[in-house]
Amino acid sequence: SPSPACSDIVADRLSMSSVIDKLKALSPVEAAASIAVAGTAAGFLVKWLLGGSKGNTVTISVPASTANLACGFDTLGAGFDLNLVLTATVAPLQKATTFKYEGEGAGEVVLDETNLIWKSAEKCSKRYAGGKELPKCKIHVVNPVPFGRGLGSSACAIIAGVALGSELLQLKLTREQLLNVALEIEDHPDNLSAALWGGATASGVDDEGNCMIRPFKISSAIKAVVLVPRFQLSTHKAREVLPASYSRKDCVFNLQRVALLPLALGDEKPDRKLLRELFRDKLHQAQRGPLMPGLADCLAYSGAGLDNPNLVAVALSGAGPCIMALCTGDMPRIGEALKANLAKHNIQSDYKILPFSATGTTVKWS
């Protein structure tokens, strides 16, 4: 029968540090007994202690992202230096995983195991670990990414979740593997790949549902001004307004531009005239215009202040309603000009000046 120390391991009142101290004091035989008594919780701790655990708290940082980059519908994306940060502390004696949220979405998201982050972690386990039970955690999320605005808030949650699942089960998955399981939850890879890799990405999905991905460079001379209207627009609603089919002429129009855009964005001295032409689109932006008053004026550079020579190109960010402007300088003035343009249509907004993410998703144990 297990020693008193083994029995103590399963007492609900013990803190994580107390459990670890108890486990360290056990002999291998007692450790085995503790596994029999306490099951998954103690077994997880024993495995980590004897296997060289990195710590019991993992911090995962995931960048916001923009999708499409105008002509690259469901294909191109880019990550911003605006990060959701998740801190998960392993608490296997806890009966269920719990969440604490700060920032955007606080008061809106569920704080139990039906949270999208945790469901994504479980999806990772199901695909790569046979559905192995995840250790319970206390999770703290600090989120600066607005919901329902076209900045990849759902992609942030999904990538944070699949990365958490990989880390908790020590699966050592590649970014491609993480993206593949993420695609089971959100079926377009543009935001997901940008959130994983950072920088800019061109991505697709093969017939088996597996990702195809290549990152590309955005000139260091370019930063983004992102205009954030004070209303939400669901991706579902923004997709509903798109036609079921397109003319060959419109498809070729976008294909020509999407082939050139990743190359042109990498030029250290951005070619403003070329990039503006490459940021034209026939597949989704004009069709979504009625949902976003003021968008058409911004895309036509027709508002006051939008003739600024530092304004390179403008696009709808993802499904909207955010509007992204690529700039080489004078960002506050351009942000105010975009904001004033929407105000003419009685749309209140704010803007953010965002560099592009250099690192993508990062993970650190402590």
Side-chain angles (χ1 to χ4, degrees), residues 55-101:
N56 72 316
T57 297
V58 61
T59 300
I60 299 172
S61 178
V62 185
S65 55
T66 184
N68 303 325
L69 303 183
C71 62
F73 181 62
D74 277 4
T75 301
L76 301 183
F80 291 127
D81 192 8
L82 180 72
N83 296 278
L84 177 149
V85 178
L86 174 152
T87 303
T89 299
V90 178
L93 298 185
Q94 196 167 269
K95 292 183 178 180
T97 289
T98 57
F99 284 81
K100 178 182 177 183
Y101 253 78

Side-chain angles (χ1 to χ4, degrees), residues 288-299:
R288 288 166 166 169
L291 300 176
M292 300 160 216
L295 173 63
D297 290 345
C298 291
L299 294 177

Side-chain angles (χ1 to χ4, degrees), residues 44 47-48 121 124-126 128-129 131-135 163-172 365:
F44 179 83
K47 176 182 176 182
W48 273 56
C124 182
S125 172
K126 182 177 180 181
Y128 294 115
K132 185 176 181 180
E133 183 181 359
L134 295 163
L164 178 63
S166 176
E167 291 297 319
L168 290 176
L169 298 178
Q170 302 181 58
L171 300 178
K172 299 181 180 179
W365 281 94

Side-chain angles (χ1 to χ4, degrees), residues 45-56:
L45 286 173
V46 170
K47 176 182 176 182
W48 273 56
L49 286 166
L50 301 181
S53 162
K54 303 172 186 177
N56 72 316

Side-chain angles (χ1 to χ4, degrees), residues 288-343:
R288 288 166 166 169
L291 300 176
M292 300 160 216
L295 173 63
D297 290 345
C298 291
L299 294 177
Y301 310 95
S302 62
L306 298 184
D307 57 350
N308 192 309
N310 289 294
L311 175 56
V312 177
V314 176
L316 182 64
S317 182
C322 279
I323 297 170
M324 179 188 69
L326 300 185
C327 307
T328 54
D330 216 6
M331 273 76 78
R333 187 172 297 178
I334 292 169
E336 291 295 339
L338 291 167
K339 185 176 176 180
N341 186 70
L342 262 63

Side-chain angles (χ1 to χ4, degrees), residues 19-207:
V19 173
I20 291 174
D21 289 341
K22 294 283 185 182
L23 284 169
K24 286 180 176 177
L26 298 182
S27 70
V29 172
E30 289 176 319
S34 76
I35 295 174
V37 173
T40 301
F44 179 83
L45 286 173
V46 170
K47 176 182 176 182
W48 273 56
L49 286 166
L50 301 181
S53 162
K54 303 172 186 177
N56 72 316
T57 297
V58 61
T59 300
I60 299 172
S61 178
V62 185
S65 55
T66 184
N68 303 325
L69 303 183
C71 62
F73 181 62
D74 277 4
T75 301
L76 301 183
F80 291 127
D81 192 8
L82 180 72
N83 296 278
L84 177 149
V85 178
L86 174 152
T87 303
T89 299
V90 178
L93 298 185
Q94 196 167 269
K95 292 183 178 180
T97 289
T98 57
F99 284 81
K100 178 182 177 183
Y101 253 78
E102 292 182 38
E104 298 283 347
E108 296 181 52
V109 299
V110 293
L111 302 177
D112 57 27
E113 291 185 1
T114 63
N115 186 285
L116 179 58
I117 291 173
W118 195 250
K119 299 302 288 184
S120 300
E122 291 178 329
K123 182 74 75 171
C124 182
S125 172
K126 182 177 180 181
R127 178 168 178 135
Y128 294 115
K132 185 176 181 180
E133 183 181 359
L134 295 163
K136 304 305 181 183
C137 295
K138 294 180 180 179
I139 298 177
H140 182 202
V141 177
V142 179
N143 178 38
V145 185
F147 281 18
R149 303 298 213 286
L151 290 177
S153 59
S154 62
C156 279
I158 292 166
I159 295 302
V162 297
L164 178 63
S166 176
E167 291 297 319
L168 290 176
L169 298 178
Q170 302 181 58
L171 300 178
K172 299 181 180 179
L173 299 178
T174 65
R175 285 183 291 193
E176 287 83 359
Q177 288 174 310
L178 292 174
L179 180 54
N180 282 339
V181 67
L183 284 168
E184 295 182 18
I185 307 166
E186 185 169 281
D187 63 0
H188 44 101
D190 40 13
N191 285 107
L192 296 169
S193 60
L196 268 168
W197 271 263
T201 56
S203 56
V205 183
D206 68 17
D207 289 342

